[in-house]
Amino acid sequence: MTIRTTTPDLLDNPPIPVQAKLAAAWTSFMFLYIYVDYYHLYKPGTLDDILVGVVFEFDISPALMTVFLALIAVPALMVMLSMTLPARTNRTTNLVVASLYVPVTVFNAVGESWDWAPFYGLSIGIEMLLLAFILRSAWTWPRRVASPVTTAASLHEERLQTPHHA
């Protein structure tokens, strides 16, 4: 009688919970969002406009700064909310917030010259890919979680069907 043993693949990836995927995507989105704004400061004339109290054609005011804070606070909170909200609420919240950030993200290119198209095209393109990932992950969130018994049985069955080399 031969006993068949299996060794785990070193590069085998365990399943990642949807919540962790969403939190990681929002974290990436936040880093990009912040750095795009930071690098925008290097654009000639930007600091001069800020020094005279203007950002994106808007006068710098408490109301404008509150809007800017809200725009950055929502994705920052989504990192935490993606890990802590119950599944149904989490799914809905991610779908709504990511959908609302699509036009916000596109707005960043409004009024920019074609000279800056590569910068804004790349930054907006990556942000849109991250939002698409969030929307897809939330939309395809599994409706049921397999029980530990079902999961164990399917893993055992998978091992029996996979050819192993001695």
Side-chain angles (χ1 to χ4, degrees):
M1 179 166 149
T2 305
I3 297 175
R4 184 179 284 181
T5 60
T6 60
T7 56
D9 292 332
L10 293 178
L11 295 177
D12 189 25
N13 291 327
I16 299 171
V18 176
Q19 296 93 324
K21 290 179 183 181
L22 291 168
W26 282 113
T27 302
S28 294
F29 184 86
M30 282 301 307
F31 275 114
L32 192 59
Y33 202 78
I34 291 167
Y35 273 101
V36 167
D37 283 350
Y38 175 76
Y39 289 142
H40 175 80
L41 295 174
Y42 289 96
K43 184 178 173 188
T46 299
L47 292 179
D48 294 334
D49 288 345
I50 291 171
L51 290 174
V52 296
V54 177
V55 174
F56 299 121
E57 309 294 326
F58 301 110
D59 290 335
I60 297 174
S61 67
L64 181 68
M65 297 311 294
T66 302
V67 169
F68 286 172
L69 179 60
L71 286 172
I72 204 77
V74 171
L77 289 171
M78 288 305 297
V79 176
M80 186 269 305
L81 293 174
S82 293
M83 291 299 292
T84 59
L85 288 175
R88 186 177 305 265
T89 306
N90 201 336
R91 178 180 185 266
T92 303
T93 303
N94 272 279
L95 288 170
V96 169
V97 173
S99 295
L100 292 173
Y101 268 79
V102 168
V104 169
T105 299
V106 173
F107 178 77
N108 285 326
V110 171
E112 294 300 334
S113 69
W114 282 106
D115 294 342
W116 288 89
F119 175 77
Y120 288 104
L122 181 61
S123 64
I124 291 169
I126 295 171
E127 288 176 10
M128 293 297 282
L129 286 173
L130 287 165
L131 291 170
F133 176 83
I134 291 166
L135 288 166
R136 184 178 183 280
S137 296
W139 185 260
T140 60
W141 196 312
R143 302 295 190 262
R144 287 181 26 186
V145 176
S147 70
V149 173
T150 307
T151 303
S154 67
L155 289 174
H156 179 69
E157 191 175 294
E158 187 177 297
R159 284 189 195 125
L160 291 176
Q161 293 174 0
T162 306
H164 297 284
H165 301 285

Coordinates of all heavy atoms in Angstrom, one line a residue, residues 2 9 18 45 51 55 75 77 79-80 86 90 99 115-116 120 123 126 128 131 138-139 149 161 163-164:
T2 N 0.6 2.1 -0.9 CA 1.4 3.4 -1.0 C 0.5 4.5 -0.5 O -0.6 4.7 -0.8 CB 1.7 3.7 -2.5 OG1 2.3 2.5 -3.1 CG2 2.5 4.9 -2.7
D9 N 2.9 23.8 -3.2 CA 3.6 24.6 -4.1 C 4.1 25.8 -3.4 O 3.4 26.5 -2.7 CB 2.8 25.0 -5.3 CG 2.4 23.8 -6.2 OD1 3.2 22.8 -6.2 OD2 1.3 23.9 -6.9
V18 N -12.0 39.4 -0.2 CA -12.4 40.6 -1.0 C -12.1 41.9 -0.2 O -11.7 42.9 -0.8 CB -13.9 40.5 -1.4 CG1 -14.4 41.8 -2.1 CG2 -14.2 39.3 -2.2
G45 N 4.2 77.8 -12.4 CA 3.1 78.7 -12.2 C 2.1 78.2 -11.1 O 1.4 79.0 -10.6
L51 N 0.3 81.1 -4.1 CA 0.7 82.2 -3.2 C -0.2 83.4 -3.4 O -0.3 84.2 -2.4 CB 2.2 82.6 -3.6 CG 3.2 81.7 -3.2 CD1 4.6 82.1 -3.7 CD2 3.3 81.5 -1.7
V55 N -6.4 78.2 -6.7 CA -6.1 76.8 -7.0 C -7.1 76.4 -8.1 O -8.3 76.5 -7.8 CB -6.2 75.9 -5.8 CG1 -6.0 74.4 -6.2 CG2 -5.1 76.2 -4.8
P75 N -11.7 58.5 0.2 CA -10.9 57.3 -0.1 C -10.0 56.8 1.0 O -9.8 55.6 1.2 CB -10.0 57.7 -1.3 CG -10.7 58.9 -1.8 CD -11.4 59.6 -0.7
L77 N -10.8 56.9 4.2 CA -11.7 56.1 5.0 C -12.1 54.8 4.4 O -12.4 53.8 5.1 CB -13.0 56.9 5.4 CG -12.7 58.1 6.3 CD1 -14.0 59.0 6.4 CD2 -12.3 57.6 7.7
V79 N -10.3 52.7 3.0 CA -9.3 51.7 3.3 C -9.8 51.0 4.6 O -9.9 49.7 4.6 CB -7.9 52.3 3.5 CG1 -6.9 51.2 4.0 CG2 -7.4 53.0 2.3
M80 N -10.2 51.7 5.6 CA -10.6 51.1 6.8 C -12.0 50.5 6.7 O -12.3 49.4 7.2 CB -10.7 52.2 7.9 CG -11.0 51.7 9.3 SD -12.7 51.7 9.8 CE -13.2 53.4 9.5
P86 N -19.7 45.2 7.4 CA -20.3 43.9 7.0 C -20.4 43.8 5.5 O -20.5 44.8 4.7 CB -21.8 44.0 7.6 CG -21.7 45.1 8.6 CD -20.7 46.1 8.1
N90 N -20.6 46.7 2.8 CA -19.3 47.0 2.3 C -19.3 47.0 0.7 O -18.8 47.9 0.1 CB -18.3 45.8 2.7 CG -16.9 46.2 2.6 OD1 -16.5 47.0 1.9 ND2 -16.1 45.5 3.4
S99 N -17.9 54.6 -7.9 CA -18.7 55.2 -9.0 C -18.6 56.7 -9.0 O -18.5 57.4 -10.0 CB -20.1 54.7 -9.0 OG -20.2 53.3 -9.2
D115 N 0.2 69.8 -23.5 CA 1.6 69.6 -23.0 C 1.7 68.7 -21.8 O 2.6 67.9 -21.7 CB 2.3 70.9 -22.6 CG 2.5 71.8 -23.8 OD1 2.4 71.4 -25.0 OD2 2.7 73.1 -23.6
W116 N 0.6 68.7 -21.0 CA 0.6 67.9 -19.8 C -0.2 66.6 -19.9 O -0.5 65.9 -18.9 CB 0.0 68.8 -18.6 CG 1.0 69.8 -18.2 CD1 1.2 71.1 -18.7 CD2 2.1 69.6 -17.3 NE1 2.3 71.7 -18.1 CE2 2.8 70.8 -17.2 CE3 2.5 68.5 -16.4 CZ2 3.9 71.0 -16.4 CZ3 3.5 68.7 -15.6 CH2 4.3 69.9 -15.6
Y120 N -1.2 63.7 -17.0 CA -2.6 63.5 -16.5 C -3.2 62.3 -17.1 O -4.0 61.6 -16.5 CB -3.5 64.8 -16.9 CG -3.1 65.9 -16.0 CD1 -2.3 67.0 -16.4 CD2 -3.5 65.9 -14.6 CE1 -2.0 68.0 -15.6 CE2 -3.2 66.9 -13.8 CZ -2.4 68.0 -14.3 OH -2.0 69.0 -13.4
S123 N -1.7 59.4 -14.9 CA -2.3 59.4 -13.6 C -3.8 59.1 -13.5 O -4.2 58.2 -12.7 CB -2.0 60.7 -12.9 OG -2.7 61.8 -13.5
I126 N -4.3 55.3 -14.5 CA -4.1 54.3 -13.4 C -5.2 54.5 -12.3 O -5.6 53.4 -11.8 CB -2.7 54.6 -12.8 CG1 -1.6 54.3 -13.8 CG2 -2.5 53.7 -11.5 CD1 -0.2 54.7 -13.4
M128 N -8.2 55.3 -12.8 CA -9.4 54.7 -13.4 C -9.3 53.1 -13.3 O -10.3 52.5 -13.1 CB -9.7 55.2 -14.8 CG -10.0 56.6 -14.9 SD -11.6 57.0 -14.1 CE -12.7 56.4 -15.3
L131 N -10.1 52.2 -9.8 CA -11.5 52.3 -9.6 C -12.3 51.1 -10.3 O -13.2 50.6 -9.7 CB -12.0 53.6 -10.0 CG -11.6 54.8 -9.2 CD1 -12.0 56.1 -9.8 CD2 -12.1 54.7 -7.8
A138 N -16.1 44.6 -6.0 CA -17.3 44.7 -5.2 C -18.5 44.1 -6.0 O -19.4 43.4 -5.3 CB -17.6 46.2 -4.9
W139 N -18.6 44.3 -7.3 CA -19.7 43.7 -8.1 C -19.7 42.2 -8.0 O -20.8 41.6 -8.0 CB -19.6 44.3 -9.5 CG -20.8 43.8 -10.3 CD1 -20.9 42.8 -11.2 CD2 -22.1 44.4 -10.3 NE1 -22.1 42.7 -11.7 CE2 -22.9 43.7 -11.2 CE3 -22.7 45.5 -9.6 CZ2 -24.3 44.0 -11.4 CZ3 -24.0 45.8 -9.8 CH2 -24.8 45.1 -10.7
V149 N -16.4 22.8 6.1 CA -16.4 21.4 5.6 C -16.4 21.3 4.1 O -15.7 20.5 3.5 CB -17.7 20.7 6.2 CG1 -17.9 19.3 5.6 CG2 -17.7 20.7 7.7
Q161 N -7.3 14.8 -7.6 CA -7.4 14.9 -9.1 C -6.1 15.5 -9.7 O -5.9 15.3 -10.9 CB -8.6 15.8 -9.5 CG -9.9 15.2 -9.1 CD -11.1 16.1 -9.4 OE1 -10.9 17.3 -9.8 NE2 -12.3 15.7 -9.1
P163 N -2.4 15.5 -10.8 CA -1.3 14.5 -10.9 C -0.1 15.0 -10.1 O 0.2 16.2 -10.2 CB -1.1 14.4 -12.4 CG -1.7 15.7 -13.0 CD -2.7 16.1 -12.0
H164 N 0.5 14.1 -9.4 CA 1.7 14.4 -8.7 C 2.8 13.6 -9.1 O 2.7 12.4 -9.4 CB 1.5 14.2 -7.1 CG 0.4 15.1 -6.6 ND1 0.6 16.4 -6.3 CD2 -0.9 14.8 -6.3 CE1 -0.5 16.9 -5.8 NE2 -1.4 15.9 -5.8

